[in-house]
Amino acid sequence: MEALELARWQFGITTVYHFIFVPLTLGLSILVAILQTFYYKTGDLHYKRLTKYFGKLFVIIFTLGIVTGIVQEFQFGMNWSEYSRFVGDIFGIPLAIEALTAFFIESTFLGLWIFGWTRLSKPVHLACIWLVAIASNLSAVWILMANSWMQVPVGYELVGGRAELADFVAILMNERLLVQMPHTILGGFITGGMFVLGMSGWMILRNKDPEIFLKSAKIALVFTAVASLLTATTGHDQAQDTVQSQPMKMAAMEGLWDTEEPASFSLFAIIDQEERTSKREIRLPYMLSVLAHNNLTAEVRGLNELQAEMEEKHGPGDYMPPVAIIYWSFRIMVGLGMIFIFVSFYGLWLWWKNKLGTRNRFHKVAVSMIFFTFVANTAGWIVAEMGRQPWVVYELLLTADGVSPSVYSSSIWISMAAFGLVYGLLAAAAFYLVWYFGKQGAPEETEGVEKNLHTY
Amino acid sequence: MDLQIIWFVLIAVLFIGYFFLEGFDFGVGILMPFVSKDETDRRVTINTIGPFWDANEVWLITAGGAMFAAFPHWYATLFSGFYLPLLLILLALIVRAVGFEFRSKLHHTWWRKTADHFIFWGSAVPAFLWGVAFTNIVMGLPIGSDMNFTGALLELLNPYALLGGVASLLLFTLHGAIFLSLRTTDELCERVEKVAKWLWLPVGIVLLIFAVSGYRYTVLFDEFGIIPGTLPMIAIVSFVAVYLFIRINRNGWAFAATGSTIVFGSIVVFQGLFPLVMPSTISEEYHLTIYNASSSDLTLTIMSVLALIFIPIILAYQGWSYWVFKERVTRDAIPKD
């Protein structure tokens, strides 16, 4: 394989892996903070035990988020030096701000939180976990600002072969950021919420302090129900933005080869990119026009027309992203999103009917949802990132032009093998630890005795 | 003053902060297997940096991010040019963090032994490689007309750079030993004090050889001449003071002195480099300087405002966390499991 292909695979693998842990920490940090707030307000030891139970799992997951995150920051320079030179003037700002305003807070206050149970006053200690939760989510805002700019470049001018900052406010207020940020963060909330719901369900199924875990299940249900609804609406906003700002990505998401007016929505298709056709298609008339433009008859542009337009603008070349992957990833994400809404509202209904503690089948489903949140997150990012191809910065820089010219494919093979091995072992260790500590149930707590979360 | 100069200074500050802070926690990780008599000692050693090591590492992440933002070409050339050393540093930092975080979670001997290896190698490898990397920068690299590294990766492992690696490894170890003497008690504390006393001379010899050979191999002393001037003198005097302070059992002062050696030694490196950031050995025309490698003035202005607001705040709360955990870690503090 060429260095370019290898670098792309490496970026894909390390990013997908990193993003297993990140969304979980976004939601779980807030839920741990909420649980501790309940403990602080009520003094009920049940909430303290839940805080420690989920706190322990949070720290395991958080650790993997950190270590895989450093790789991300270094990787831009290592594998994508030309990209870095092109975007650094703009892309570097949110990265540096992320470190200054989020990573320092997270790392310092997480240390204070873990080891501070015995040393800090209760309100200060509670503030520590809230700072961790807020900073984690703040870091997502900054990195999404960087990503949004790659999707929809704004506020720049091209000077001497690179993009230079012209208007910082435009980048802060990038329309893509305003739709992508809530959608991604809310997806993280679903992930955290489903994790708490699923782990609580597992404990209820095992009859391990079910009365305690019913409390966390209820909090998680409310949290997830709200988050899953909002994820759907913000996702819709984002798709409508994509119609305008990245029509090629939208056409690939819908497997729409030819421009239609009114446009129908594809439910199923076998996509043949070579021949530029879809077989065995099932289409719902008018639906895509409605989804894309809130209008029964509006035009939605197809891949072929957009390809011709890109060629006219940027010269000959293949400007279509891999359609089948994007089409199906999008459907997987949306389908799972619907399931998350259904599961969380069904849980609320069971709670309303006072059956939440006894309906074992629901808790089994909740456990499986933990896995599916990761599938949905990954599918969503595959749509966002592969849908932008062949561009790394949309319509400004081709991915092929961003790779490091001085790095040989042998170096990337070495790093790929090393990351593969280390990441594989880490995944096994983390999965085992989450299972091991998950199975143990909520740790015992005695009134008036403070213990730290753990000792190294 | 030029914004480029401010940012060169800020990036130097971030790296120096990183070397000062993670320097001692690297040292602690390196010494952990050697100064501990038993499992409890090992855990005490790790817990001396328990609440701190992660935030110390963020100094590096910030330095990397700031370099990307302020000097994209410096970032791009450095990171793509130092591909394999940085890969090793990344792997080391990964296994090290996991070693700390996962070690005490399970009781199996093999698990904890593996974590010990992770912690030791995860600390020793970056402590060594940062020295190698920065020595290579000040020696100059074969950087071509397109600002890219054109050499072979093995050239980075030349003898003088390796000596730089040994120097940083040893200096961080000494720094860590003195840090441990401030954070531990009883026998363990006495052992690390002995280690510090014993280490001082070898560290001094390596540093001396490294510094003197620097006249020949690096761009650092081009402007200095024979008499090194104020900043190198402070570094040298600090290092001598380390020994005196250890001798009279003023370990707090000794820690300040190793810190000062690291800080002023690094300042000498950055000052000698200035206004270059990556000297080219191929041609002077290909030098990366703070001007041709930098971002636009607008980016630098925005970043300056942000840095000037946030760095003092960060220093305040990070300092506060050290104050919260100021007590020494005793063997009694380790749970019996």
Side-chain angles (χ1 to χ4, degrees):
Chain A
M1 265 196 271
E2 296 287 313
L4 170 65
E5 269 175 88
L6 281 167
R8 287 189 63 189
W9 271 108
Q10 183 164 323
F11 198 87
I13 291 168
T14 52
T15 309
V16 165
Y17 189 83
H18 177 57
F19 209 71
I20 292 173
F21 307 106
V22 172
L24 188 46
T25 57
L26 296 183
L28 193 52
S29 60
I30 290 183
L31 281 159
V32 172
I34 290 174
L35 287 167
Q36 190 170 344
T37 308
F38 270 86
Y39 165 61
Y40 178 76
K41 287 273 175 201
T42 63
D44 180 351
L45 280 186
H46 284 180
Y47 287 113
K48 189 181 192 181
R49 294 175 64 188
L50 287 169
T51 306
K52 292 227 169 149
Y53 175 79
F54 285 107
K56 231 174 191 150
L57 302 176
F58 168 69
V59 172
I60 293 167
I61 292 151
F62 189 82
T63 305
L64 290 197
I66 297 174
V67 297
T68 54
I70 309 179
V71 175
Q72 296 306 100
E73 193 203 45
F74 279 38
Q75 190 168 199
F76 295 117
M78 289 166 75
N79 282 340
W80 303 97
S81 66
E82 295 313 288
Y83 164 80
S84 302
R85 294 180 204 281
F86 183 84
V87 301
D89 201 72
I90 292 170
F91 191 85
I93 302 175
L95 243 59
I97 302 178
E98 189 184 16
L100 281 172
T101 62
F103 293 157
F104 270 118
I105 296 180
E106 282 178 77
S107 54
T108 308
F109 288 95
L110 187 65
L112 281 159
W113 185 72
I114 294 172
F115 300 100
W117 289 84
T118 53
R119 273 169 210 276
L120 299 171
S121 71
K122 277 190 178 157
V124 173
H125 187 252
L126 177 64
C128 288
I129 189 68
W130 274 110
L131 280 168
V132 172
I134 293 165
S136 301
N137 284 279
L138 195 61
S139 83
V141 173
W142 294 118
I143 197 67
L144 289 171
M145 181 181 298
N147 182 268
S148 294
W149 187 83
M150 294 164 71
Q151 305 287 354
V152 182
V154 290
Y156 69 93
E157 54 189 348
L158 291 177
V159 181
R162 70 170 180 178
E164 286 196 356
L165 182 65
D167 182 355
F168 186 56
V169 178
I171 290 169
L172 283 172
M173 291 288 137
N174 188 347
E175 241 180 73
R176 169 46 59 103
L177 176 65
L178 301 182
V179 290
Q180 175 168 292
M181 185 244 303
H183 185 62
T184 314
I185 291 180
L186 287 161
F189 287 5
I190 299 180
T191 313
M194 283 297 185
F195 181 79
V196 172
L197 187 67
M199 296 303 277
S200 304
W202 186 28
M203 292 300 108
I204 293 168
L205 286 171
R206 297 182 65 228
N207 210 12
K208 196 130 184 150
D209 300 319
E211 74 288 355
I212 297 182
F213 282 102
L214 209 50
K215 291 181 178 175
S216 51
K218 286 173 181 171
I219 292 172
L221 272 177
V222 175
F223 190 78
T224 317
V226 174
S228 59
L229 267 190
L230 293 177
T231 306
T233 55
T234 53
H236 179 61
D237 293 342
Q238 188 174 347
Q240 289 201 328
D241 179 76
T242 306
V243 177
Q244 306 298 332
S245 56
Q246 294 179 305
M248 184 70 100
K249 183 190 280 180
M250 175 47 73
M253 281 154 72
E254 297 301 346
L256 187 69
W257 293 103
D258 295 307
T259 304
E260 287 188 5
E261 183 186 355
S264 56
F265 179 83
S266 169
L267 276 179
F268 180 90
I270 295 170
I271 285 158
D272 185 342
Q273 188 148 0
E274 293 270 297
E275 300 290 322
R276 295 195 182 177
T277 58
S278 300
K279 288 166 205 147
R280 310 219 173 140
E281 268 214 285
I282 306 170
R283 304 192 74 96
L284 291 178
Y286 303 110
M287 263 319 275
L288 186 54
S289 291
V290 175
L291 287 172
H293 295 284
N294 273 345
N295 180 328
L296 269 178
T297 54
E299 175 195 78
V300 179
R301 301 167 76 198
L303 288 157
N304 290 324
E305 183 188 328
L306 291 161
Q307 163 73 22
E309 188 185 283
M310 282 265 192
E311 275 181 44
E312 213 169 282
K313 242 165 126 181
H314 303 287
D318 183 1
Y319 296 98
M320 280 190 203
V323 179
I325 295 173
I326 296 162
Y327 174 91
W328 282 111
S329 297
F330 182 58
R331 269 147 193 75
I332 289 169
M333 176 189 73
V334 173
L336 286 172
M338 300 291 162
I339 292 173
F340 300 150
I341 294 175
F342 175 77
V343 169
S344 51
F345 276 86
Y346 182 65
L348 286 177
W349 186 77
L350 286 177
W351 176 10
W352 173 256
K353 291 275 164 195
N354 248 329
K355 288 180 190 157
L356 188 59
T358 50
R359 193 59 67 88
N360 281 353
R361 214 167 5 156
F362 175 77
H363 295 298
K364 282 181 190 157
V365 171
V367 173
S368 73
M369 284 300 120
I370 297 176
F371 168 72
F372 287 111
T373 53
F374 298 116
V375 177
N377 289 324
T378 307
W381 275 108
I382 285 174
V383 173
E385 295 296 286
M386 289 188 80
R388 194 191 53 232
Q389 301 303 326
W391 303 100
V392 63
V393 182
Y394 194 60
E395 295 200 86
L396 289 183
L397 185 71
L398 289 166
T399 307
D401 296 332
V403 76
S404 299
S406 59
V407 173
Y408 299 110
S409 53
S410 54
S411 295
I412 311 180
W413 270 120
I414 293 171
S415 61
M416 189 99 99
F419 282 130
L421 180 71
V422 171
Y423 277 19
L425 289 173
L426 288 193
F431 187 83
Y432 178 76
L433 286 177
V434 168
W435 176 78
Y436 178 83
F437 284 102
K439 201 176 51 151
Q440 285 187 352
E444 291 298 335
E445 288 289 333
T446 329
E447 194 79 55
V449 181
E450 290 297 350
K451 282 182 295 184
N452 286 330
L453 188 71
H454 58 70
T455 308
Y456 279 140
Chain B
M1 194 158 57
D2 284 349
L3 286 162
Q4 281 85 352
I5 297 177
I6 295 178
W7 270 96
F8 181 81
V9 171
L10 278 172
I11 283 173
V13 166
L14 290 166
F15 270 107
I16 293 168
Y18 174 64
F19 292 146
F20 178 93
L21 291 168
E22 189 126 284
F24 68 73
D25 70 47
F26 282 150
V28 170
I30 292 164
L31 289 168
M32 186 266 289
F34 305 108
V35 296
S36 311
K37 276 239 166 86
D38 58 11
E39 170 64 12
T40 309
D41 274 354
R42 280 189 285 274
R43 293 187 67 179
V44 168
T45 313
I46 298 167
N47 276 289
T48 60
I49 51 169
F52 310 131
W53 66 269
D54 187 12
N56 293 347
E57 202 160 291
V58 175
W59 284 80
L60 170 66
I61 300 173
T62 311
M67 194 188 256
F68 196 169
F71 299 103
H73 293 297
W74 188 6
Y75 168 80
T77 304
L78 179 70
F79 279 63
S80 61
F82 287 2
Y83 196 92
L84 291 182
L86 285 171
L87 171 69
L88 285 173
I89 287 173
L90 281 175
L91 294 170
L93 294 180
I94 291 172
V95 299
R96 178 172 185 268
V98 170
F100 287 141
E101 210 53 65
F102 288 2
R103 185 182 188 282
S104 66
K105 296 242 180 289
L106 299 178
H107 306 298
H108 316 295
T109 319
W110 69 267
W111 176 271
R112 292 194 173 180
K113 278 220 165 112
T114 311
D116 289 346
H117 283 291
F118 283 0
I119 292 169
F120 173 76
W121 291 106
S123 302
V125 167
F128 174 73
L129 286 176
W130 283 121
V132 174
F134 272 84
T135 309
N136 271 303
I137 294 177
V138 294
M139 289 174 77
L141 292 161
I143 293 170
S145 57
D146 62 350
M147 293 188 165
N148 280 312
F149 177 74
T150 59
L153 283 164
L154 284 179
E155 286 171 28
L156 299 174
L157 299 178
N158 58 76
Y160 185 63
L162 293 177
L163 181 65
V166 175
S168 63
L169 176 73
L170 286 174
L171 184 55
F172 290 157
T173 310
L174 178 64
H175 194 40
I178 297 173
F179 177 81
L180 275 174
S181 77
L182 294 171
R183 295 276 294 146
T184 55
T185 60
D186 305 319
E187 284 175 36
L188 178 58
C189 186
E190 285 163 24
R191 277 200 299 278
V192 291
E193 280 178 343
K194 257 186 222 154
V195 169
K197 276 179 202 156
W198 183 88
L199 264 177
W200 185 84
L201 188 63
V203 179
I205 292 170
V206 172
L207 286 178
L208 187 69
I209 300 172
F210 178 67
V212 171
S213 334
Y215 279 91
R216 182 175 160 176
Y217 291 108
T218 74
V219 299
L220 288 187
F221 300 98
D222 290 358
E223 293 160 31
F224 286 152
I226 303 289
I227 297 166
T230 312
L231 291 170
M233 279 312 291
I234 297 177
I236 294 165
V237 169
S238 306
F239 189 75
V240 174
V242 173
Y243 188 73
L244 299 176
F245 286 129
I246 301 177
R247 274 284 153 198
I248 58 170
N249 288 320
R250 291 295 174 88
N251 294 354
W253 285 101
F255 181 69
T258 46
S260 161
T261 310
I262 292 173
V263 169
F264 283 94
S266 310
I267 291 177
V268 171
V269 168
F270 280 98
Q271 193 213 19
L273 206 53
F274 180 87
L276 308 183
V277 292
M278 299 274 286
S280 167
T281 50
I282 297 178
S283 157
E284 279 184 22
E285 283 170 46
Y286 301 157
H287 285 336
L288 264 68
T289 71
I290 60 169
Y291 298 105
N292 71 9
S294 88
S295 282
S296 65
D297 279 0
L298 179 57
T299 295
L300 293 177
T301 309
I302 290 168
M303 294 278 300
S304 304
V305 173
L306 291 164
L308 294 176
I309 295 171
F310 284 105
I311 291 180
I313 298 175
I314 290 162
L315 286 172
Y317 65 66
Q318 212 175 352
W320 178 65
S321 90
Y322 279 87
W323 187 78
V324 168
F325 300 108
K326 61 186 180 300
E327 279 167 40
R328 290 169 188 264
V329 182
T330 61
R331 288 172 63 92
D332 301 333
I334 306 300
K336 303 272 172 289
D337 52 13

